[in-house]
Amino acid sequence: MTGRCIGGINLLDVANQPAWKQQQTVRYRWCEIWHDPAKNGVFVTGWAYGGYIAPF
């Protein structure tokens, strides 16, 4: 993830909170992500609904 979500949420601001609190914060927001679909080092950006995002 890039750390940005709609509504002015920055994931770095909630990173030190418990996992359940992080999930609750982004659950109903769209967050910007980046990934490497071809696994060749070429990353693309997109948006994912927070309900599908979980901290690890």
Side-chain angles (χ1 to χ4, degrees):
M1 295 184 56
T2 65
R4 296 184 323 153
C5 294
I6 62 168
I9 299 295
N10 185 331
L11 297 178
L12 295 176
D13 296 337
V14 298
N16 293 326
Q17 296 178 356
W20 68 268
K21 181 76 169 167
Q22 292 177 35
Q23 286 177 318
Q24 195 174 52
T25 301
V26 300
R27 178 174 292 162
Y28 300 111
R29 301 179 188 273
W30 286 90
C31 298
E32 189 177 31
I33 61 165
W34 56 269
H35 65 103
D36 181 5
K39 305 213 183 315
N40 62 0
V42 178
F43 291 88
V44 296
T45 60
W47 292 85
Y49 191 64
Y52 297 107
I53 298 171
F56 62 94

